[in-house]
Amino acid sequence: MEEKKLDVKSIIGFVIIALLMVYMIYNQSPSQEEVNKEKAKKEQIEKAKATQIPEQQSAAAMPADSTVADSVKLQQLRGSLGAFAYSATLPSAKGNVTELKNPLLTLRISNKGGYIAEANINSFEQFEKGSKQRVELIKKNNADLNIQIKTKDNRILNTRDMYFEPVVTKEGENQVLTMRLKAGANQFLEYRYVMKPNDYMLDFSIRTQGLSQVLNTSAPADLEWQLKAFRNEKSVSYENRYTELVFEYEDGKDNYLGQGKDEADKAEDVTYVAFKQHFFTSILLTDTPFKTADLTSENLVKDEKLDTTYTKNFTAKMPLEFKGGELSYNMNMYYGPADFKILDSYNKNLDEVMPLGWGIFGWINKWLFIPFFTMLLNFMPHGIAIIFFTIIVRLAMSPVTYKSYVSQAKMKVLRPEIAELNAKYSKDPMKKQQETMKLYNKAGVNPMAGCLPALMQIPIFYALFQFFPSFFDLRQKNFLWADDLSSYDSIAHLPFYIPFYGNHVSLFPILASVAIFFYMKMTTGDQAMSAPPQDGMPDMSKIMKIMIYISPIMMLIFFNNYASGLSLYYFISNLITIGIMLVIKKYIVSEEKIHARIEENKSKPKKQSRFAQKMQEMMEQAQEQQNQRNQNRK
């Protein structure tokens, strides 16, 4: 067997490999100079960390990611900031955020820009693709608070691009975050946030110190507040319908813009601006009114099938006036529920943020419906409270329903006689009108008596239409198959989208439509018969028969995406009304008795009221003038 030997080539190869490895190791070892540089860098990092807010504090500094691109931008920024380049040299010149938190609200304020980068409502959840997540008003750069300032050297700077230095302190139970954009050790622009223990409202102030020699104070600084509203509710179309910008101006006046379309407005002496997102709202209030405000609302839901992330984009631009060369504005910020009870408790006219209706409609909601329904919720679940609430409202309106029905019955009895007068005086309209009024007076019938009760119900109807979509306590409260009484009660999902109807089937609107169909079927004949026949006018009975089918279909279509609590109310309301009408027709009002009473009234001398006498005299004068004109023509 041949013995293996190590040849010369192998030895040379091993030696070369060994030399290469020694060379590589040597070159990768740091020099003393590099070791010193690395040590200095570590000391600088440790020093920066020491200036950060301790984690154990309730408002903790939270590190954010930094990239090479951010470093390049920072270097460019330092060259463009002029007097404020000092702020870019501070340890806070990083993309960190500072957290303020209480049981109701969590805020994260960014060092860069000094504005709120995240605002979460801790106690409430949103609906998103069937899974529940916490309500987030601000996230992923959807909001901005920026001040555009002009310097003495004609630079225009935006605070959103600059770094503030955060300092957290305590004032009793309040957490205080002071954010300073520094031009020097004692020269700064300051944002001051004060969070209270159990409150959605923050104290917020903007002021400057020692900047009169740095800034051009002859012109105001421009404050811009912007929010791209995230969807937080199940129905994006329904949420978008009640998402709007509300503002108060000129010592207590209020207005709104942005219901379903792009709008812009300009107001003077503005004291608050609210970006309302149906059931939640962001509000900026000021003790010193803004001289003017340019307000815009952009609708982002162009296609309800595709645009399902955002609802509207709000912007408010206000000038900040310098006084004595400095800025000083005391403000408040509110991030929380659009709940009437909470907003009203601040005594700052914030209840106007809620769309309760104008005039008497808002009065009914504010002083009747909200207190009464809130009281019911102390004793029963939300769905049962709606049913009980509906019963009370319908019973309270039953005298009006009774008077309306009696008036219809009287007009129905007189219809044959009115038809005779129409035929007899078909060629003399003035005489026909006179004889018809005489007949009404003799019979003791007021032809307007049926209209007045119906008009009296309109404020109640409209107030309720505003009440249910705005009442925060119904949000995410379930009843029977409805998982949220503030949104639609879907029982089936359609594989296609129907315009105006949607891609789901709601059951409460179907029940309400069936109830209103039977109610109209029962009462339409009486309404048509009670309408006095008029020559040249369309037959009211035919119009009423058409409305029997049109009204339920319209309710079925348009209420499919509305709050199920509202559809539940109309379903119960129509059932109760049907019951009341049946009782009135069967046990209370008899057409035979009404006919006998009318005949009895005809036989009695009846004194005309002053209004009726005046009308009679005017009609007789008109008749005489008409006769005179006819004679002159002959």
Side-chain angles (χ1 to χ4, degrees):
M1 186 173 178
E2 186 177 354
E3 183 180 356
K4 291 184 178 181
K5 296 181 180 179
L6 191 65
D7 61 350
V8 177
K9 292 181 179 179
S10 298
I11 294 173
I12 294 173
F14 283 124
V15 172
I16 293 173
I17 292 172
L19 291 174
L20 286 173
M21 291 180 68
V22 171
Y23 177 80
M24 291 173 64
I25 292 172
Y26 177 82
N27 278 279
Q28 288 180 357
S29 300
S31 63
Q32 186 62 38
E33 183 181 356
E34 289 173 333
V35 170
N36 293 337
K37 286 183 179 180
E38 185 66 19
K39 184 177 180 181
K41 184 177 180 181
K42 287 182 179 180
E43 290 176 353
Q44 185 178 3
I45 291 173
E46 292 298 323
K47 184 179 179 180
K49 286 183 178 179
T51 64
Q52 298 297 311
I53 303 163
E55 293 183 0
Q56 63 269 23
Q57 292 185 355
S58 59
M62 302 180 63
D65 294 336
S66 60
T67 62
V68 174
D70 289 336
S71 300
V72 173
K73 290 180 181 179
L74 183 58
Q75 294 298 328
Q76 295 173 346
L77 188 62
R78 286 173 177 170
S80 63
L81 292 181
F84 286 97
Y86 177 84
S87 67
T89 66
L90 298 173
S92 61
K94 298 178 182 179
N96 292 358
V97 295
T98 303
E99 182 177 278
L100 298 177
K101 184 176 182 179
N102 66 21
L104 304 178
L105 187 64
T106 298
L107 301 177
R108 293 183 178 87
I109 297 91
S110 173
N111 287 358
K112 185 176 181 181
Y115 57 82
I116 297 173
E118 293 183 32
N120 300 329
I121 313 299
N122 297 333
S123 304
F124 300 99
E125 297 175 332
Q126 62 173 310
F127 277 92
E128 185 175 7
K129 296 181 180 179
S131 62
K132 293 184 178 182
Q133 296 182 2
R134 188 169 51 177
V135 168
E136 298 171 305
L137 299 184
I138 300 177
K139 62 178 181 178
K140 299 179 180 178
N141 299 316
N142 72 313
D144 186 25
L145 180 73
N146 178 63
I147 299 179
Q148 189 176 86
I149 49 181
K150 303 174 182 65
T151 63
K152 293 283 188 181
D153 56 353
N154 296 321
R155 295 173 184 263
I156 297 178
L157 305 176
N158 292 288
T159 58
R160 67 163 67 95
D161 299 325
M162 295 184 281
Y163 289 88
F164 288 66
E165 183 178 45
V167 176
V168 176
T169 57
K170 283 274 192 177
E171 291 183 359
E173 295 183 346
N174 298 337
Q175 304 170 53
V176 180
L177 171 62
T178 302
M179 307 287 291
R180 288 182 176 177
L181 171 63
K182 292 189 172 182
N186 296 307
Q187 295 175 296
F188 54 81
L189 166 68
E190 178 185 275
Y191 294 163
R192 189 172 187 268
Y193 299 89
V194 180
M195 175 176 275
K196 297 161 189 160
N198 284 285
D199 204 339
Y200 294 105
M201 185 79 77
L202 304 171
D203 291 340
F204 175 64
S205 62
I206 298 174
R207 74 181 185 98
T208 59
Q209 178 177 301
L211 295 182
S212 58
Q213 301 301 316
V214 176
L215 300 181
N216 180 3
T217 59
S218 61
D222 295 324
L223 173 65
E224 180 176 341
W225 187 39
Q226 179 264 337
L227 176 71
K228 190 176 181 181
F230 272 104
R231 168 196 177 186
N232 280 302
E233 308 303 326
K234 186 165 64 172
S235 172
V236 65
S237 60
Y238 194 61
E239 180 178 359
N240 190 46
R241 184 178 296 116
Y242 294 99
T243 297
E244 58 192 359
L245 188 155
V246 184
F247 57 97
E248 184 186 63
Y249 66 106
E250 294 179 5
D251 195 25
K253 297 180 183 178
D254 57 89
N255 205 345
Y256 67 92
L257 55 90
Q259 283 195 336
K261 55 183 178 180
D262 297 347
E263 289 186 1
D265 200 355
K266 187 168 185 175
E268 297 180 353
D269 298 326
V270 174
T271 44
Y272 74 69
V273 177
F275 299 155
K276 179 177 172 293
Q277 299 173 237
H278 195 184
F279 284 122
F280 297 91
T281 185
S282 308
I283 309 175
L284 178 64
L285 307 94
T286 176
D287 292 347
T288 305
F290 301 121
K291 188 173 182 180
T292 61
D294 292 305
L295 309 166
T296 60
S297 173
E298 178 189 2
N299 181 31
L300 303 179
V301 184
K302 309 296 184 182
D303 187 334
E304 295 179 1
K305 301 187 296 295
L306 303 175
D307 303 327
T308 59
T309 303
Y310 301 98
T311 54
K312 289 188 173 69
N313 187 23
F314 298 121
T315 304
K317 296 181 180 179
M318 294 81 65
L320 300 179
E321 304 285 340
F322 287 91
K323 294 181 180 180
E326 304 289 357
L327 290 177
S328 180
Y329 278 80
N330 292 322
M331 305 183 191
N332 294 99
M333 283 182 166
Y334 177 91
Y335 293 96
D339 186 334
F340 175 83
K341 298 184 295 296
I342 296 175
L343 294 175
D344 190 51
S345 68
Y346 291 109
N347 295 318
K348 294 179 178 289
N349 205 31
L350 296 182
D351 57 289
E352 297 297 337
V353 172
M354 307 302 303
L356 298 177
W358 54 271
I360 188 173
F361 312 116
W363 184 88
I364 291 172
N365 277 324
K366 185 175 182 179
W367 300 108
L368 291 178
F369 289 164
I370 290 179
F372 179 59
F373 195 82
T374 302
M375 181 194 69
L376 291 179
L377 293 180
N378 293 325
F379 305 100
M380 57 190 73
H382 292 74
I384 303 299
I386 290 176
I387 295 174
F388 194 82
F389 176 80
T390 308
I391 293 171
I392 297 300
V393 171
R394 292 315 303 167
L395 289 178
M397 297 299 295
S398 59
V400 176
T401 305
Y402 170 77
K403 289 186 177 182
S404 179
Y405 180 78
V406 170
S407 176
Q408 290 177 15
K410 288 180 178 180
M411 294 296 294
K412 183 179 178 181
V413 170
L414 287 178
R415 185 179 174 87
E417 296 183 53
I418 296 173
E420 290 179 8
L421 292 176
N422 287 340
K424 184 177 180 179
Y425 300 104
S426 60
K427 296 183 179 180
D428 192 346
M430 190 66 69
K431 184 66 175 177
K432 179 181 66 175
Q433 191 69 23
Q434 288 178 359
E435 294 301 319
T436 302
M437 292 299 293
K438 287 180 182 178
L439 176 62
Y440 287 149
N441 187 58
K442 272 184 172 185
V445 174
N446 182 358
M448 297 300 295
C451 300
L452 293 176
L455 292 175
M456 290 175 61
Q457 296 185 64
I458 291 178
I460 302 296
F461 176 87
Y462 184 78
L464 288 167
F465 193 81
Q466 295 293 108
F467 168 76
F468 281 101
S470 303
F471 195 65
F472 185 84
D473 287 358
L474 293 178
R475 184 179 184 270
Q476 295 187 3
K477 299 302 187 297
N478 64 303
F479 179 66
L480 299 178
W481 57 86
D483 57 7
D484 186 352
L485 286 168
S486 71
S487 188
Y488 58 82
D489 55 309
S490 176
I491 58 169
H493 185 80
L494 302 176
F496 49 84
Y497 186 89
I498 301 174
F500 303 107
Y501 186 76
N503 59 354
H504 64 273
V505 177
S506 298
L507 184 53
F508 276 130
I510 295 175
L511 296 176
S513 300
V514 171
I516 198 173
F517 172 80
F518 283 106
Y519 167 71
M520 296 188 70
K521 190 80 172 174
M522 185 178 69
T523 61
T524 297
D526 293 336
Q527 292 173 355
M529 291 299 291
S530 67
Q534 300 288 338
D535 294 336
M537 296 296 291
D539 189 350
M540 288 301 296
S541 62
K542 292 182 179 179
I543 296 176
M544 292 293 186
K545 287 179 181 178
I546 295 173
M547 291 303 296
I548 290 175
Y549 300 96
I550 291 179
S551 296
I553 291 173
M554 291 179 63
M555 172 168 279
L556 182 66
I557 293 174
F558 292 108
F559 275 62
N560 191 60
N561 289 292
Y562 272 58
S564 54
L566 183 62
S567 300
L568 172 62
Y569 169 83
Y570 283 122
F571 170 55
I572 301 300
S573 178
N574 284 316
L575 287 182
I576 295 171
T577 306
I578 290 172
I580 291 174
M581 294 296 293
L582 288 173
V583 171
I584 291 174
K585 291 180 73 173
K586 190 170 183 179
Y587 299 105
I588 300 177
V589 176
S590 170
E591 290 185 7
E592 289 79 8
K593 291 181 180 180
I594 289 176
H595 187 272
R597 191 177 303 162
I598 288 175
E599 293 300 322
E600 184 182 348
N601 290 339
K602 288 181 182 179
S603 63
K604 293 180 181 179
K606 188 173 181 64
K607 185 179 179 181
Q608 284 185 323
S609 64
R610 289 185 180 180
F611 177 76
Q613 288 177 355
K614 191 67 176 176
M615 289 293 294
Q616 184 72 22
E617 291 173 2
M618 292 174 62
M619 293 174 69
E620 288 175 355
Q621 290 175 3
Q623 181 66 36
E624 290 177 3
Q625 292 174 1
Q626 180 67 32
N627 293 337
Q628 187 66 39
R629 284 195 294 268
N630 291 339
Q631 289 178 1
N632 293 337
R633 288 173 186 171
K634 293 179 179 179

